[in-house]
Every structure is written in C-alpha cells, then in structure tokens.
Amino acid sequence: MQRTFSIIKPDATRRNLTGKINAMLEDAGLRIVAQKRIHMSQADAEAFYGVHKERPFFNDLVSFMTSGPVVVQVLEGDDAVLKNRTVMGATNPEDADEGTIRKTFAESIEANSVHGSDSPENAEIEIRFFFSDREIVG
Ligand code: GDP
C-alpha cells in the first residue's frame, strides 16, 4: 500500500469538477484518505513549487495556483504514485491519453486540473507540507 499527494487545481474547482475528478480517482483504484479545500497563499505556492523556481513559467504558475480554491488530497492504493500519474495523463493535455483526467478536463498545459506527486519520496514531502497525521484516515 502506498500514498501519494494530489491537488485539484483552481481551473477545476472553478468549473465545479471536484466530484467528477474524485470519481475518476476512485474508479482508478485510489482511496481518498484525506482531503481539504484551501486557498493557497503566495508563500505556499512558491514553496510548494520551489523546484520550478528557475523555470520561465514559475510566476504564472504561482499566480494560477493562488487564483482560486484548490482541493488537496492524500490518495492511497497499490502503486498509488504511478496509478495517479496514469489516471492524470500527460502534463500537456494535448499529449494526454484518452480517458485521463487531463485529457477530459484540462484547459491548457498550465491549467491542467490536477497535480500528482512524481515519486514516493516527493509524495511524503508533499503530504507533510499540507497534512498532519491526525488528518489522514486510511
Ligand atoms: P506535472 O508533474 O505533470 O504537473 O508537470 P511539471 O512538474 O513539469 O510542472 C508542474 C506544473 O507547472 C504543471 O502541472 C503545469 O501546471 C505547469 N507547467 C508545466 N509546464 C508548463 C509550461 O510550459 N508553461 C506553463 N505556463 N505552465 C507549465
């Protein structure tokens, strides 16, 4: 059993897609063991995406992620990191496979509806960034 970290991004909460995305996560075999709706501060977004600090799209990404509410989640399942990346689809929705969340819902490479950890190590760090142990109920 593995855990991963997920975000339903502002483009998706704005379009009231939380339930539809959660259904796709659950249908993929993932269990939502923690979830809360928050509005990320600029400091949160800058720290969370710190690895992308030098990328040309960093400032746009921070503005986008703070432009509205997000839903942060902990997902649990066998191979949860890979399972979530598979159901999310490629970063650019134009490259994403049919039936994935990004192919179905993303508006652009930036407003791509969901975030998912890319490794078990990063999942642990990202979960800790937003959740305490008592908020995660498996
Ligand atoms: P992910 O792991 O698939 O989310 O992709 P990355 O870690 O490479 O990028 C993080 C996030 O930055 C993506 O989910 C997008 O929201 C955004 N992003 C990535 N590439 C670009 C880009 O070329 N332009 C813009 N504007 N945003 C991007």
Side-chain angles (χ1 to χ4, degrees):
M1 206 51 99
Q2 194 177 62
R3 284 178 177 172
T4 191
F5 176 74
S6 162
I7 306 177
I8 301 178
K9 295 186 178 183
D11 66 288
T13 61
R14 178 169 47 75
R15 287 175 290 153
N16 210 21
L17 294 171
T18 299
K20 288 197 171 78
I21 290 173
N22 279 350
M24 289 172 83
L25 296 172
E26 291 177 343
D27 287 348
L30 293 159
R31 181 174 292 271
I32 301 163
V33 295
Q35 171 168 262
K36 58 190 172 188
R37 183 171 165 111
I38 62 169
H39 198 132
M40 286 173 77
S41 65
Q42 174 143 345
D44 281 341
E46 286 177 355
F48 183 77
Y49 280 117
V51 291
H52 293 310
K53 221 172 24 239
E54 307 306 328
R55 309 275 283 274
F57 57 82
F58 179 71
N59 288 336
D60 285 344
L61 178 59
V62 169
S63 320
F64 166 60
M65 290 301 290
T66 57
S67 67
V70 300
V71 177
V72 291
Q73 306 175 307
V74 180
L75 309 177
E76 192 173 82
D78 292 329
D79 278 329
V81 170
L82 185 62
K83 216 170 239 176
N84 186 39
R85 294 293 304 190
T86 303
V87 70
M88 286 165 60
T91 309
N92 186 345
E94 287 176 15
D95 302 330
D97 290 338
E98 288 300 330
T100 61
I101 294 169
R102 284 169 165 171
K103 182 70 170 189
T104 307
F105 295 124
E107 295 180 319
S108 67
I109 191 170
E110 177 177 270
N112 59 5
S113 304
V114 281
H115 165 86
S117 309
D118 61 4
S119 69
E121 295 72 29
N122 284 337
E124 182 68 32
I125 294 165
E126 293 174 357
I127 289 168
R128 285 288 146 248
F129 191 88
F130 287 103
F131 290 98
S132 64
D133 280 341
R134 66 195 300 181
E135 293 177 298
I136 305 170
V137 183

